[in-house]
Every structure is written in C-alpha cells, then in structure tokens.
Amino acid sequence: MQVEQITDSITYHGEGPVWFPREGVLHWVDMLAGDVLTLTSSGNVTRKHVGAIAAAVRPRRDGGAVIGVERGFALMDSAGEITTLPEVWSSKKIRMNEGGCDPDGRFYCGSMAYDQTPGAAKVFRLSPDGSVDIVLEGVTVSNGLEWGPDGTLAYYNDTATFSVSVFDYSLENGLHNRRTLTTIADSGRPDGLTVDAEGGIWTAIANQGAMHRYSPEGKLDQVINLPATKVTACTFGGANLDELYITTSREDLPEGEEPRAGALFHVEPGVKGMPTREFAG
C-alpha cells in the first residue's frame, strides 16, 4: 500500500480531516494556529483563521460549518462568516480538542487541559437549538469520535487510556454502556479515528507513526506506516469515499527533525468510508 504525501509540512499541529461532500473538498485544522485548511479540487491549500484554537470542523446541513474553538463552538455560514457562540467554560487552562457529529445531527467536541491534567476534561454536545450538554466527564485528552455504519455504536479515544472505547448509542439515551474495544500495544497513544463502511475502526497512533485498522471485534487487521511519528487523525474522502486522508503534527519537534511531519498524506486502503455526518443546526 503506497502512502502519498499531498502537501509540504504546512501545519504545526495538523488534525481533524473531514470530507465536505457537497463542496467536494477536504478540510482539516492547524489546531494550535487556530486555522481551518481547505484542500481544493485543484490541489491548492487555503487557510481561514477562526480563533485561538481550531479544534474540529464539520459541515452544516444547510451549508457552512460548525467548529470547535478554544472554549466552545462557532458557526460558519455558507458565505464564510463566523459567529462564535457563548463560551462553555471560562478557565484558560482547558481547550477543545476533537469532535464529530452523531446520527441525529448533534455536534460533539471533547476538551483537554493544556498541561494534560488527568481527568480535567469533558465531552460536550451542541444541539441544533444551540443548547450545550456535558455527555462525558473525567476525560484527560479527548480525541477521535465516530459512529459505526448503523449508528448504534460509537467509538472514542481518550488518548491517555492507551485504548479505544466503544459506546452503545440511541437518541433517547445518547452515549452509554462504555467498554474497551482494544488496548493499543506498546503504550500506543490513539488519536483521531474514523470508521469505514464495513465497520472497521481506523485510528491514528500519535507516538508510533502509524494508522491502525481494528475489526468491530477489536482485532488489529491492518497497519499503515507513515514517514512522521506524530500521526494525528484520518478520514475517508474523494468522490467514491475510497481515499484515506491522514494528518500529522510537528508539535514540539526540534527544528529540522522529521521534515515531513506536519504534512497531509493519502492512501487508497481498499475499503470505502461513510458519508460525513452533518450538524443539523
């Protein structure tokens, strides 16, 4: 399987790739720069600054995007105008980190302490009416969150646990019945994740330079090695959703070390993804 480098090392902390099907483009974030990046159909990359932190971005059903920002959420309309919603918390020690949408059109974003204080973070849910609920507490580094093909299971990474969790999900009960799907070997740190159309769970391993695919039963069945240690997240995209885009980071790397870190990569893994879940607000 050939890994292709799509961009130069253009992000300090690349994260959160997501395919916007109506635009036919890939978005991702340079998280600590507060920028949303766009890979256009011509192969060019544009940037839009959205705040101190750009944690996660997802499409809105009526156009535009919902964005996780430093201490809450923002909405971007189809013209690119951004409205930042009221802060969810006031502490400057905590920031948003990663998120995704559920099958019912609600947007989730999880947080982390800047110093990664154990248990200091939470996962928040933004509903289409603008209300915000806490859905998970006692988190350390909230990362990948995605639902399985039929929407009844959700997969989640709190990186500090070295494991991938699975929840049952319904509109009435939300995320519940959390259990461990798998523990990453050799103290691997799971970061962003996505789920393919066959129910396979793809997770970035942020300290091992690799993408792992796990079966719905938690068995490791595929490994993709990247030329950068800090592999951060992935998503399926392209017209047929058969292309896997992978982000990387060069956060805290010495100057000149790992020159390809911070680039966007691409691979064709032989399986398709699912359409991006959109925010209904």
Side-chain angles (χ1 to χ4, degrees):
M1 189 179 300
Q2 184 174 358
V3 175
E4 177 187 6
Q5 183 174 337
I6 298 294
T7 71
D8 292 333
S9 177
I10 59 173
T11 61
Y12 179 69
H13 186 55
E15 269 276 12
V18 58
W19 183 256
F20 276 44
R22 278 178 287 183
E23 300 176 25
V25 300
L26 183 83
H27 293 290
W28 73 107
V29 299
D30 194 350
M31 187 179 287
L32 302 180
D35 293 344
V36 174
L37 282 66
T38 303
L39 179 68
T40 67
S41 56
S42 64
N44 296 322
V45 176
T46 63
R47 284 179 178 261
K48 185 175 184 64
H49 189 67
V50 300
I53 295 289
V57 58
R58 288 294 185 277
R60 298 169 69 185
R61 287 182 183 171
D62 294 329
V66 60
I67 306 166
V69 293
E70 187 173 26
R71 291 190 287 276
F73 301 96
L75 299 175
M76 184 168 66
D77 65 20
S78 56
E81 293 297 317
I82 293 176
T83 301
T84 301
L85 303 182
E87 288 189 348
V88 178
W89 67 88
S90 59
S91 172
K92 296 182 179 180
K93 297 180 179 180
I94 308 288
R95 67 169 177 84
M96 286 295 201
N97 194 53
E98 178 62 289
C101 288
D102 70 24
D104 297 294
R106 300 174 295 184
F107 179 61
Y108 297 62
C109 207
S111 62
M112 61 175 285
Y114 276 99
D115 65 1
Q116 299 190 26
T117 299
K122 299 177 175 69
V123 177
F124 302 87
R125 183 180 65 211
L126 175 68
S127 293
D129 65 2
S131 61
V132 178
D133 297 295
I134 297 169
V135 298
L136 191 63
E137 300 188 75
V139 173
T140 300
V141 181
S142 187
N143 255 307
L145 176 63
E146 185 57 272
W147 277 254
D150 69 0
T152 64
L153 297 175
Y155 301 93
Y156 172 70
N157 291 338
D158 180 351
T159 298
T161 67
F162 307 105
S163 62
V164 180
S165 295
V166 56
F167 291 86
D168 292 322
Y169 173 81
S170 67
L171 176 60
E172 296 77 16
N173 298 316
L175 299 174
H176 60 284
N177 189 26
R178 182 180 182 177
R179 61 266 189 201
T180 298
L181 175 74
T182 190
T183 299
I184 312 300
D186 302 319
S187 299
R189 294 175 60 82
D191 204 322
L193 66 76
T194 194
V195 181
D196 64 39
E198 297 177 358
I201 301 95
W202 296 81
T203 184
I205 310 300
N207 60 340
Q208 294 182 356
M211 288 292 315
H212 286 185
R213 182 188 191 268
Y214 293 92
S215 72
E217 295 74 37
K219 179 182 178 182
L220 177 62
D221 60 16
Q222 195 162 348
V223 176
I224 299 173
N225 294 309
L226 280 293
T229 300
K230 297 187 176 186
V231 181
T232 55
C234 60
T235 197
F236 284 91
N240 297 314
L241 297 177
D242 57 355
E243 304 171 57
L244 188 67
Y245 291 91
I246 303 167
T247 52
T248 62
S249 171
R250 59 174 305 98
E251 183 183 9
D252 296 331
L253 287 176
E255 185 69 28
E257 187 172 319
E258 296 197 26
R260 300 172 76 178
L264 176 71
F265 295 88
H266 167 275
V267 68
E268 296 181 7
V271 65
K272 293 185 178 182
M274 298 182 295
T276 303
R277 300 186 190 278
E278 299 176 318
F279 179 55

